[in-house]
Amino acid sequence: MTTTTWLIILLVLSVVANIALTARLTVLRRRPLPLPPAATVRDSPQTLHALESTRLELEQARQAADHATGLMQGRDLELGRVRGMLTEAQARAADAAAAAQEALALRKEREGLLTRLREREEEVRLRSRERDDTQAQALARIHELERRLADAEAGAEGPLGPEPVSPAIPRQLPLGRDTTADSSVDGADLGPVVVRAASARGDRARHDGEHRRDAVLLRFAEEIPTPTLLSAVAAGSPRGRWSQSAADRACRSLAAQVGRYGESLGRELYGPGDDGALGALLRTALQGVAHSMRLVTRGEGPGGEADDAAIEVALTGLLTRLGDGREREHLVFGVGDGALLRLRDGAWSAEFTPGESAPERTLRLPADAARVGWARLTTLPGDVLAVCSPPMAELLLREDVGSWFAARWAGRQPYLTSFLSEVNAPVRSTGGDRSVVCLWDFGDARDARSATR
């Protein structure tokens, strides 16, 4: 039994006892004292003693009545205190009941939240399993497609034969005083811009034992305030005795001239420049290249002057702005029949040729340095630019061979050896030297790192 129940029982017993005592005292007060029988009062000692005893009993009864009255008052006070305690206990019991109800509600709310949390955790586990399954399926699909692609490439019979990446191997070393290496390759990964350059002796020159007459160059144009890459392809004339030396000199001299006029070129390229001033700078630079080329054959011409026919070169240059960017600026320029091609969406397109007409395509350095052609160009992430000698441009624009190169170069960063091997692939062509500088524009450096192969 609870404390409240015991208090109620005690209160009831006190009330009952007080009522019984009050009733008893009331009866005693109203009852008349018995009168002794009428008798003759005698002043005997026994009578006086009895009278005195009766008085004492009456006094004791009155004291007992007063004491009972005091007890009743004390009981009333005790009863009031007990009632106060009962009221306080009832209030506390009500508060305890309310607190119990609130605790029960909080417990139910907590159980509901725990249930929802378990449901969310189960949902997260299911989503995680679905994600893992999807990733596994995607990886399996990728591996399957890679395997099928490799099988298809291994069994393909195209214009390059069953082993299209096998390079053509020269059967003899070149002859002549102006000989150089059969092939050369260069390249760099410059953050979002990846560049590869290669030059290989043509089939006709290998068959006849002649030397390679082309040259390629890659240089960082540090004199231009904005980070800029210079790419160049120089194609020497097949009839020129010193065409290889002249092509190499043309590339090196072009780098020197770009450095000499770097600050002015940077202003005209990347500022609110004037196209007329830019054209004048390019003509001045190529005239400096022509002067340097003539030093190769100084004293060999009639009367001791330079022999221009021995050093004829078609030159194509490309200035590329480096750094991350969703639209990259380029300046292409040159003299002769070189070309700039762009690979976009798996197809090659000719974007620039220094000579627009047939007579202009026959122009050569050093004689025609003042007739330089140029154009501005913008690329998007994923584009590939190729600065080509004429034989290489013809291969890339052929439908059968161009698609083969596009499949290998689109969105990739080939190793230097792989790039040279692909440029030097054994495919029938006009037989001239194959020289090309390929530039991959990935937009951001992090995209370029993910495309390495």
Side-chain angles (χ1 to χ4, degrees):
M1 298 177 69
T2 63
T3 305
T4 304
T5 306
W6 282 111
L7 289 174
I8 293 172
I9 294 173
L10 179 61
L11 177 62
V12 171
L13 293 176
S14 299
V15 171
V16 171
N18 288 333
I19 292 172
L21 182 58
T22 303
R24 178 64 178 168
L25 292 176
T26 303
V27 171
L28 290 176
R29 286 179 179 176
R30 292 180 179 178
R31 180 184 300 173
L33 294 175
L35 296 176
T40 302
V41 178
R42 295 177 181 175
D43 295 332
S44 63
Q46 294 83 1
T47 302
L48 293 175
H49 181 70
L51 183 59
E52 187 64 25
S53 296
T54 301
R55 287 176 180 170
L56 288 174
E57 288 179 2
L58 179 59
E59 185 64 29
Q60 290 177 357
R62 286 176 179 172
Q63 290 178 356
D66 293 338
H67 180 66
T69 302
L71 287 177
M72 288 184 64
Q73 291 177 353
R75 296 290 179 149
D76 290 339
L77 292 174
E78 183 68 19
L79 181 59
R81 190 174 67 82
V82 171
R83 286 175 179 171
M85 293 174 61
L86 178 60
T87 303
E88 184 178 354
Q90 289 175 344
R92 289 180 180 179
D95 292 342
Q101 291 292 333
E102 184 177 358
L104 180 61
L106 291 175
R107 190 178 298 110
K108 290 182 179 179
E109 183 178 358
R110 176 176 172 274
E111 292 175 355
L113 291 175
L114 289 176
T115 302
R116 291 174 59 187
L117 178 60
R118 286 192 290 269
E119 291 175 354
R120 293 293 183 270
E121 290 176 347
E122 182 65 24
E123 184 178 354
V124 169
R125 284 193 291 270
L126 290 175
R127 294 290 177 85
S128 299
R129 284 197 293 269
E130 291 177 358
R131 182 201 59 194
D132 294 340
D133 294 343
T134 303
Q135 288 179 348
Q137 294 174 3
L139 289 175
R141 180 62 175 168
I142 289 173
H143 294 327
E144 175 66 18
L145 291 176
E146 289 177 347
R147 184 189 63 78
R148 291 172 58 186
L149 178 61
D151 294 343
E153 289 181 347
E157 291 290 343
L160 304 180
E163 296 182 357
V165 296
S166 299
I169 305 299
R171 301 300 177 185
Q172 58 179 327
L173 294 176
L175 304 175
R177 290 183 295 170
D178 200 31
T179 59
T180 186
D182 177 86
S183 304
S184 68
V185 65
D186 196 4
D189 294 352
L190 305 174
V193 174
V194 173
V195 64
R196 301 286 185 264
S199 181
R201 188 164 50 137
D203 294 339
R204 184 178 60 246
R206 285 173 176 163
H207 182 270
D208 297 339
E210 296 181 356
H211 58 271
R212 176 168 57 91
R213 302 174 185 274
D214 288 358
V216 294
L217 176 132
L218 297 175
R219 286 290 185 274
F220 179 71
E222 56 185 340
E223 295 83 2
I224 297 178
T226 301
T228 302
L229 172 70
L230 170 64
S231 310
V233 172
S237 171
R239 300 178 301 276
R241 297 190 312 276
W242 300 97
S243 55
Q244 208 291 320
S245 294
D248 183 70
R249 177 66 70 89
C251 289
R252 294 179 180 275
S253 180
L254 178 61
Q257 293 297 320
V258 168
R260 181 179 181 182
Y261 300 105
E263 187 173 351
S264 300
L265 277 173
R267 247 190 338 264
E268 302 301 331
L269 282 174
Y270 307 125
D274 178 24
D275 286 350
L278 179 59
L281 278 172
L282 292 176
R283 283 191 295 273
T284 302
L286 285 216
Q287 285 171 351
V289 172
H291 176 73
S292 178
M293 289 173 59
R294 286 192 171 102
L295 297 178
V296 175
T297 58
R298 184 173 54 183
E300 294 194 7
E305 71 274 9
D307 184 4
D308 287 356
I311 55 173
E312 287 185 346
V313 167
L315 178 65
T316 307
L318 177 68
L319 290 171
T320 300
R321 185 171 190 170
L322 301 177
D324 291 347
R326 307 312 295 175
E327 291 188 356
R328 192 171 307 283
E329 301 174 50
H330 308 266
L331 175 69
V332 58
F333 58 92
V335 173
D337 54 357
L340 175 70
L341 309 184
R342 176 166 59 188
L343 175 61
R344 177 180 288 179
D345 298 330
W348 294 98
S349 61
E351 299 296 324
F352 174 78
T353 301
E356 296 296 335
S357 61
E360 289 176 337
R361 285 192 288 272
T362 62
L363 299 177
R364 295 290 184 271
L365 293 176
D368 303 308
R371 303 183 65 179
V372 58
W374 60 275
R376 297 180 187 271
L377 183 69
T378 301
T379 55
L380 302 176
D383 287 351
V384 180
L385 293 182
V387 183
C388 308
S389 63
M392 192 67 198
E394 291 176 7
L395 283 180
L396 294 181
L397 292 175
R398 275 174 51 181
E399 183 177 355
D400 51 355
V401 182
S403 60
W404 183 85
F405 281 103
R408 277 151 181 78
W409 290 351
R412 298 184 180 183
Q413 297 173 239
Y415 298 118
L416 296 182
T417 53
S418 300
F419 184 73
L420 177 60
S421 179
E422 290 162 355
V423 171
N424 202 19
V427 57
R428 292 185 180 275
S429 63
T430 57
D433 295 345
R434 302 178 193 173
S435 300
V436 60
V437 175
C438 277
L439 186 146
W440 284 260
D441 180 5
F442 288 97
D444 294 322
R446 60 178 179 271
D447 297 330
R449 288 194 296 271
S450 65
T452 303
R453 73 171 177 92

